[in-house]
Amino acid sequence: RRYLYETADSVRLEALARSSHRPLAELAAKMRREERYHLMHVDAWMRRLAGGPARERLGVALERAWPDAQAIFSPLAGERSLLAAGTLPEPLEALRERWVSRVRAFCDGIGLSLDPAPPAPPDGRRVRTDEFRWLHGEMTMVAGSGAGSAW
């Protein structure tokens, strides 16, 4: 799960760093510097796990998380307006396709395969499985702990 999320976050932040909304672009660029280390960390763990006795469990876990992870790039209300203004430099579907390509290439490189990616669910920002609700809570814990804080 973490690998899928960190890879999606990398794709999303790359795009947002090109936003026409300067404060957003600057924040995304700042976040990318830190998030790069998160991605390097999970990349190293994925390679270790794929090369060891946990390989089969890793493959099963990826297959299980793969459909839920598609919700990361679910359509966004007002996306057309954000694209027209340049606030969002690319459609979320284009970002999802880039993410799927990166994940598949990485998995192929470590000898794991994934089923074809299902489309992003149109209601993925509202409808969550129990597993995704837990993951979302884990990934947003720090930001949620400092409501009103400036990051």
Side-chain angles (χ1 to χ4, degrees):
R1 288 182 185 137
R2 182 163 172 233
Y3 169 76
L4 295 173
Y5 180 82
E6 293 294 350
T7 307
D9 204 29
S10 175
V11 168
R12 180 178 33 237
L13 289 172
E14 284 172 15
L16 292 176
R18 298 188 322 269
S19 174
S20 65
H21 183 63
R22 191 62 17 217
L24 177 59
E26 290 170 0
L27 178 61
K30 181 178 179 180
M31 290 174 68
R32 282 183 73 195
R33 289 190 292 273
E34 173 68 24
E35 292 297 324
R36 177 176 41 155
Y37 296 104
H38 294 209
L39 188 57
M40 288 169 53
H41 182 257
V42 75
D43 178 282
W45 270 108
M46 290 289 289
R47 291 177 189 282
R48 282 185 197 123
L49 293 170
R55 177 185 190 73
E56 185 176 331
R57 287 178 52 200
L58 176 62
V60 169
L62 271 171
E63 284 293 338
R64 195 167 158 203
W66 188 230
D68 262 356
Q70 304 304 311
I72 295 170
F73 291 106
S74 289
L76 183 62
E79 184 174 337
R80 285 186 188 153
S81 298
L82 293 169
L83 287 165
T87 305
L88 182 61
E90 296 179 69
L92 288 173
E93 181 57 26
L95 299 181
R96 188 183 80 81
E97 289 171 8
R98 187 172 309 123
W99 168 67
V100 166
S101 177
R102 284 187 191 176
V103 168
R104 293 183 74 75
F106 178 81
C107 287
D108 287 348
I110 61 172
L112 296 173
S113 62
L114 284 173
D115 289 338
D123 57 355
R125 294 183 193 284
R126 292 182 301 279
V127 177
R128 305 291 166 109
T129 64
D130 288 340
E131 286 183 347
F132 191 83
R133 266 191 289 284
W134 175 86
L135 175 63
H136 186 265
E138 287 291 307
M139 295 296 179
T140 59
M141 181 187 314
V142 173
S145 69
S149 297
W151 294 95

